[in-house]
Amino acid sequence: MPQQTEHDFLITGSHDEANRQAYASTLRMHVLTNIGDGLKDVYDHRVAPAFEKTNGRAPKDGREAMKAMLDDTYGKTWSSMIHTCQEMLWDSVRPAVERAQPDFNEKVRGLNSKLGSLTLDPDVEVPRYVSASDIHLMPGNYHTERTDNDTSQGALFDRGLYLYQGGFAGPLCDNNGRSQAEVIKRRWPDFRPKKILDLGCTVGNNTLPYADVFPDAELHAIDVAAPCVRYGHARAEALGVPCHFHQMNAEDTSFEDESFDLIVSCILFHETSRTGLQKILKESHRLLKPGGMMLHMEVPRTDGMDPYSAFRLDWDTYHNNEPFLSTWMRTDVGDACVDAGFDADNYIHIAAPDFGSVPDEEFTRYAAAEDSATGTHGHWGELVMWNMYGAWK
Ligand SMILES: C[S@@+](CC[C@H](N)C(=O)[O-])C[C@H]1O[C@@H](n2cnc3c(N)ncnc32)[C@H](O)[C@@H]1O
C-alpha cells in the first residue's frame, strides 16, 4: 500500500497503531476483492440457479439477488467479514485520535490562515439524514463534537478514508476530485471558472485538486459538519492550498444569488435524502451564474444494471449505514435537475475512468466522448469508475 501524504495535522499514531491500521486496511481489501470475487461464481452457479428453481424465473433486481446471496453461506460469511473489517478499521484509528485531544484541537484553533479561511456557523443544523446514523459505521459520524472546537472527527475521517480506500485514491485521497476536475477541463477547454464551490466537502481531500486544475479560480468548500471543515481548513493550509471553508447546509447557503461559475460535489448525493437532494439542486441553480455549470460525481444508478452488480453496489445501503444509497440509485437525476429549474437540454451525464489509472489519451477520450455514459462501455465496469451528473445553467 502506498503511504498517505504526511502533513502537520495528520494523525497516524504510534508504530504499533500504524501497523494495526495497515493490517485492518489490508484485511478489508482482501475480503472486499479476493474473497469478494468469489461471490460472482457463487451467484452464477449456486444462488441464481436455486432461485430460478424455486421461483421459475431469475432474480429481477439487486434486492432479490442480495436476499438470495445473504441466505447463502458464502454470501453471509463475506457480508459479515466485510462489516467486521469496517469496524476494525475505525477502531484502529480511534485511539490515536482520542489521545491527541485536546492538544490537537488547540493546535487547530491556533492556526493562522495564510491562504484560505474558515467560517463557522453554530446555527447550522445538521440534517437528520446525516445525524441519524453513523454513516459508513464511522463512530460519531462527520459532525459529532465532544468538546469546544472539536476537530477529531475530521482527523478520524482523513486517516480512516485512506485506509478504507487501501491507498487506491492516491496518497492525498484525491483521485475522485482530480478525475472530475480533469474531465471538466478536457471536455470543455474554453470553460474557465473563476469561482468554484464544492458541496459536502468533508475534509476537502477532493476539493483541493480544483486549485491545481483551475489555479486562477477562487475555491470554496462547504459542509454541515464543523469538525470536518475545521480539519479541512487546517489540512489545506498545511498542504499550501488556498481554499475557503464554510460550515453551511448545501440546501440553504448564505451565498448571494449567481455567486459561482462551477458547483461540484463528490459522493454527496447518495448520503442525502431525496428531499434534501432536490433542495440542493435548487440551491445550486440559485447560486450558479448564467452560463455556469454544476457537476456532481457519484456512484452509478442501478437501473438497467444486472441483478448481481446491483447487489454489490446496494450492499452498503443495508450493511454499511448508507441508508439513502438505494434511493439515490433509483433517482432519475435528469428529472430532478429539471424540477430544480435546469433546462432538460442542458442535462449532463458523463462516465469516466479514474484519472491516473489509464493512459492520458484514453482518459481524454472518455472525458470528451458525447456517449461516455451510454456508449459501448456502459456506465459501470470495464474502465469506468465515476459517473458525473449535472447541468449548465
Ligand atoms: C460522503 S461525504 C463526502 C465526501 C467528500 N466530498 C469526499 O470527496 O471525500 C458526505 C459529506 O457531505 C456532508 N453533507 C451531507 N449533507 C450535507 C448538506 N446538506 N450540506 C452540506 N454538507 C452535507 C456530510 O457532512 C459529509 O461530510
Side-chain angles (χ1 to χ4, degrees), residues 225-283:
C228 288
V229 286
R230 279 188 195 112
Y231 183 90
H233 168 243
R235 178 182 180 274
E237 294 286 322
L239 292 170
V241 183
C243 183
H244 303 282
F245 286 85
H246 312 256
Q247 182 186 11
M248 277 190 201
N249 187 335
E251 294 178 21
D252 179 20
T253 71
S254 50
F255 297 118
E256 303 276 316
D257 291 359
E258 302 181 3
S259 293
F260 294 95
D261 306 288
L262 174 62
I263 297 179
V264 294
S265 70
C266 185
I267 53 170
L268 162 72
F269 284 175
H270 75 271
E271 291 186 9
T272 59
S273 67
R274 182 66 185 85
T275 315
L277 167 66
Q278 200 57 49
K279 288 184 183 163
I280 293 171
L281 291 173
K282 195 159 179 230
E283 181 69 354

Side-chain angles (χ1 to χ4, degrees), residues 127 129-130 136 142 157 161 176 198-202 205-206 222-225 228 248-251 266-268 270-272 280:
Y129 53 77
V130 176
H136 306 141
Y142 305 104
F157 181 84
L161 176 70
N176 312 22
D198 183 23
L199 310 175
C201 62
T202 316
N205 48 299
N206 285 312
I222 66 169
D223 203 288
V224 281
C228 288
M248 277 190 201
N249 187 335
E251 294 178 21
C266 185
I267 53 170
L268 162 72
H270 75 271
E271 291 186 9
T272 59
I280 293 171

Side-chain angles (χ1 to χ4, degrees), residues 138-154:
M138 177 167 126
N141 206 8
Y142 305 104
H143 61 288
T144 300
E145 293 177 86
R146 296 174 187 87
T147 61
D148 276 357
N149 198 49
D150 195 6
T151 307
S152 48
Q153 289 310 108

Side-chain angles (χ1 to χ4, degrees), residues 44-123:
D44 286 344
H45 298 117
R46 192 159 71 214
V47 171
F51 184 99
E52 252 183 280
K53 201 167 164 199
T54 311
N55 298 281
R57 60 172 178 80
K60 67 173 186 299
D61 56 23
R63 283 182 189 175
E64 283 193 351
M66 175 148 27
K67 182 160 184 339
M69 283 299 281
L70 297 186
D71 280 343
D72 182 273
T73 306
Y74 193 103
K76 202 183 300 189
T77 307
W78 173 83
S79 180
S80 168
M81 284 172 79
I82 193 80
H83 181 96
T84 304
C85 286
Q86 179 86 352
E87 290 181 328
M88 282 171 67
L89 196 146
W90 295 118
D91 284 350
S92 73
V93 183
R94 267 171 82 186
V97 171
E98 283 175 6
R99 202 173 56 244
Q101 291 179 307
D103 292 351
F104 178 71
N105 290 341
E106 282 310 308
K107 184 174 160 189
V108 173
R109 196 208 296 263
L111 177 81
N112 285 324
S113 302
K114 293 204 173 95
L115 302 163
S117 62
L118 172 66
T119 311
L120 295 167
D121 179 356
D123 291 334

